[in-house]
Amino acid sequence: MANVDFVKEGAVAIITVNRPQALNALNEEVINELDELITKVSCDPEIKSVIITGAGEKAFVAGADIKEMSELTPEEGMALSERGQALFYKVENMKKVTIAAVNGFALGGGCELAMACDIRYASAKAKFGQPEINLGIIPGYGGTQRLPRLIGMGRAKELIFSGDMIGAEEAYRVGLVNQIYAPEELMAKVKEKAEKLAGKSSEIIGQAKSAIHNGIDMDLASGCNYEARAFGLCFANKAQKEGMKAFLEKKKG
Ligand code: DAK
């Protein structure tokens, strides 16, 4: 693929947006290639966890491609929007663990792509922001929805209204990233985390993810009800049988 690289290292897939000359901005080709890769990864039972990152030293993804966006007709804009939104949903709902390794600028659609992942690890040099306001638009790939869910409404409004960037430390402090690493350590550390998570059952992670994602939009009682069903379904899975059996046998022995 011309703009997105893919490698499989055992049970871990690494997807790298590779358009460093435009700070890995998401143009139509990148969106299409990412979409194809996410489908491929979703259908590969050997892959248990997925890392998404950006090529080069400077950027994770600096947002949607402003050059391309500026010239769209309304029809083209709508089509691109539909494809982009479908991609972000697909990333969010993969039945695998998804990790954003944020190696630099994660702005606009880039911050939104990182937020569609389950976990975000950042380089100490990373910068986050939703600068759409400066272009006369609002976030369009879920930023107005996922950012307040992650960091709270007040902080999300401040970022979205101001368009200001925040560094990795602040992103960690507000809960936008899970951990910060030295830039040269980031990928090695993220791979370590991804491999560890790849050792867990994908089906059970899928159940946990589904309970978390569906429950967050429900009242507590409905969410707990949903959880009870997902919990029950775990008992139809060999991971439960094997996990509990192993624990009990270890106790006996
Ligand atoms: N798009 C296109 N090109 C970009 C780009 C972007 N978002 N960001 C950077 N580049 C290009 C620059 O134009 C420059 O290209 P050349 O001039 O060398 O050809 C190259 O990358 C290097 O960038 P700079 O020279 O600007 O580098 P600096 O270190 O000076 O600055 C920066 C780095 C990240 C602060 C700056 O590049 C910057 O402010 N970039 C734009 C960031 C931004 O505003 N991002 C948000 C884009 S809006 C939608 C859904 C979602 C969205 C839209 C629609 N629908 C549902 C329809 C999302 C919108 C966005 O993401």
Side-chain angles (χ1 to χ4, degrees):
M1 281 185 182
N3 302 279
V4 186
D5 299 334
F6 171 75
V7 261
K8 190 168 148 183
E9 294 182 5
V12 178
I14 304 169
I15 294 175
T16 307
V17 180
N18 191 356
R19 252 193 109 208
Q21 71 282 8
L23 302 189
N24 303 323
L26 302 171
N27 64 5
E28 189 177 0
E29 278 180 44
V30 174
I31 296 273
N32 289 341
E33 290 176 21
L34 270 174
D35 195 76
E36 209 177 295
L37 282 174
I38 295 294
T39 303
K40 177 173 156 169
V41 165
S42 298
C43 297
D44 185 336
E46 285 174 10
I47 296 172
K48 307 281 189 191
S49 51
V50 186
I51 300 170
I52 300 181
T53 191
E57 305 259 295
K58 215 168 153 180
F60 171 70
V61 167
D65 190 300
I66 301 171
K67 230 176 270 171
E68 182 185 75
M69 214 173 11
S70 67
E71 285 158 17
L72 292 179
T73 63
E75 290 76 17
E76 287 167 341
M78 217 179 290
L80 185 64
S81 161
E82 280 167 10
R83 272 207 303 282
Q85 288 184 355
L87 167 67
F88 280 52
Y89 273 120
K90 219 189 252 187
V91 171
E92 184 164 49
N93 293 308
M94 280 177 100
K95 300 252 179 288
K96 328 234 174 207
V97 182
T98 51
I99 303 174
V102 183
N103 53 310
F105 289 110
L107 303 175
C111 188
E112 292 168 301
L113 178 61
M115 289 191 290
C117 294
D118 297 318
I119 298 169
R120 284 148 294 284
Y121 295 123
S123 139
K125 280 199 206 153
K127 291 212 179 316
F128 296 80
Q130 296 289 161
E132 288 87 346
I133 192 93
N134 301 324
L135 300 168
I137 55 175
I138 66 168
Y141 286 145
T144 63
Q145 304 308 304
R146 292 192 182 100
L147 192 59
R149 282 169 167 81
L150 270 171
I151 68 172
M153 199 186 279
R155 289 195 173 106
K157 281 180 176 167
E158 193 178 18
L159 278 180
I160 291 169
F161 295 173
S162 69
D164 288 345
M165 285 186 223
I166 55 170
E169 283 291 342
E170 177 68 357
Y172 176 72
R173 199 181 66 80
V174 300
L176 184 53
V177 304
N178 297 62
Q179 195 60 258
I180 304 173
Y181 297 108
E184 62 281 6
E185 274 186 356
L186 178 72
M187 276 318 283
K189 293 284 188 193
V190 174
K191 280 184 198 174
E192 236 173 68
K193 298 272 189 186
E195 275 157 19
K196 190 168 176 214
L197 288 164
K200 313 290 178 193
S201 158
S202 288
E203 286 91 358
I204 303 303
I205 285 192
Q207 289 296 350
K209 215 162 148 169
S210 154
I212 293 166
H213 286 176
N214 287 290
I216 204 136
D217 296 323
M218 295 176 185
D219 61 85
L220 184 63
S222 311
C224 286
N225 193 24
Y226 192 98
E227 183 188 70
R229 286 161 191 251
F231 180 83
L233 287 172
C234 295
F235 287 79
N237 193 284
K238 73 173 190 322
Q240 176 271 327
K241 311 257 172 286
E242 289 172 2
M244 293 193 184
K245 190 169 162 239
F247 177 82
L248 293 172
E249 278 172 2
K250 206 163 62 187
K251 278 206 141 176
K252 260 195 259 164

